[in-house]
Amino acid sequence: MGGADNMTSLVKGPKEAYLVLAEKGRSLAGLMVRESSLKFFGQCFMAGCYIGFGAHLAVVISGAMPGITDENPGLKKLIFAYLFPVNLVLITLTGGVLYTGTAVATPAAFFERKASLLDVLRCLVLSWVGNLLGSLVFAGFILWCDLLDDRSQASFLSIAEKKTSARFDVTFARGIGCNWMVSMAVLLSGQAQDMFGKVVAIYLPISTFVMLGFEHTPANFYLLGMTVEAGDMSFLDVLLKNLLPTTLGNLVAGAVVVAGSYSYFFGNLGNTTTSEATEPFRRLQAQRSMGIESDVESPENQPGNDDPKRYTSRQSASSTCAPSISSRVSFVPEGEEGPDWDAIPVGKVTKVNPV
């Protein structure tokens, strides 16, 4: 916050945050075209590993307090929900790519005509596979480190049995509830402009879905994958009874509930016009937040615009100034006298006869 004449907000408005989200989706789709699918896949793989860090931390700590949590399941959920969002903080602030975030960002880009349907599908498939492999590799790493004791293994098995015991439609609905909150975490973190604000924006929605018992596809990759690698459950059971309905539910929440509704509120689906002047800056901001090399020049690199503030002020001034003498051109029928420009007050518009 600066002086009275130089005040800036550390929080974007909801419309701007949504448009930045759509631009992130465009950047995700463009990453595979401009650079390579391997780089995109690598970001997804790393995100799967970070999911493992937070998930394993939450299971180990919440399961290591039997004297406190056995008679107080709410406390156990609270501890788990407090520790789990560490992974989303790591992923969001380092430019990682999760399937759940991709399921809201790329459809938003599609609705805003920034990405094709094929690009959206490619991003969804690669993020799903990358998150899965990253989670499974990290689970193997934990086993290699011999960090899965009997109590932790029992906690993983208990979680897996609960997650695979519900009906297909129930798990599907829980997937919708989960990515509704995850998508809001992505949107809110885009509104905040400082690290503390982003962490808070991530923690609140993520803790909410964890405590309520909704289903998160990347988290289940690790929570259920650890059970599979420990030999307590088959991958086919995990896939059919949880991962498949959760994946579909997460997609519906991201693409329809959040991206679709906010596109109607603030974007193309609601026929809302957006300022083209700020489009390059939103694109630049979205790409930098994801660690992607920008294909848009920074304002300070624009020819003749060494000062971004001066550049934007010039743009604003040019859009509000009175017409110059050279621009005062009127087309009137031959033989008729044109308007007296000197008699027209500044800021007024006089209707002239068309040709």
Side-chain angles (χ1 to χ4, degrees), residues 54-55 57-63 69 73-89 159 199-200 202-214 223:
L57 172 68
V59 171
V60 169
I61 300 302
S62 64
T69 57
L75 178 59
K76 185 174 184 177
K77 280 188 175 182
L78 184 64
I79 295 172
F80 192 102
Y82 173 76
L83 298 172
F84 180 81
V86 168
N87 48 31
L88 270 298
V89 172
I159 292 171
V199 170
V200 172
I202 293 168
Y203 251 87
L204 294 178
I206 300 303
S207 295
T208 297
F209 97 72
V210 173
M211 286 187 282
L212 291 177
F214 290 129
L223 294 171

Side-chain angles (χ1 to χ4, degrees), residues 288-301:
R288 282 179 173 175
S289 69
M290 299 171 60
I292 299 174
E293 294 183 5
S294 176
D295 57 356
V296 179
E297 288 191 6
S298 177
E300 59 267 22
N301 294 330

Side-chain angles (χ1 to χ4, degrees), residues 144-259:
W144 180 29
C145 294
D146 197 20
L147 293 176
L148 185 68
D149 55 28
D150 292 339
R151 181 177 291 136
S152 298
Q153 185 172 352
S155 295
F156 274 107
L157 180 58
S158 176
I159 292 171
E161 289 175 344
K162 183 177 181 180
K163 286 181 173 293
T164 56
S165 61
R167 299 194 315 266
F168 188 97
D169 62 299
V170 172
T171 304
F172 169 77
R174 290 176 181 174
I176 294 177
C178 167
N179 209 30
W180 194 339
M181 285 292 95
V182 174
S183 298
M184 293 310 299
V186 175
L187 188 69
L188 294 177
S189 66
Q191 286 187 269
Q193 298 303 293
D194 64 315
M195 179 169 287
F196 178 78
K198 289 181 179 294
V199 170
V200 172
I202 293 168
Y203 251 87
L204 294 178
I206 300 303
S207 295
T208 297
F209 97 72
V210 173
M211 286 187 282
L212 291 177
F214 290 129
E215 298 289 345
H216 185 250
T217 300
N220 291 347
F221 285 157
Y222 184 80
L223 294 171
L224 304 181
M226 177 62 79
T227 304
V228 171
E229 293 198 20
D232 296 326
M233 190 171 288
S234 72
F235 181 76
L236 185 60
D237 280 343
V238 166
L239 178 64
L240 297 179
K241 296 179 180 179
N242 182 277
L243 296 183
L244 181 57
T246 300
T247 296
L248 297 175
N250 288 169
L251 179 59
V252 169
V256 179
V257 178
V258 177

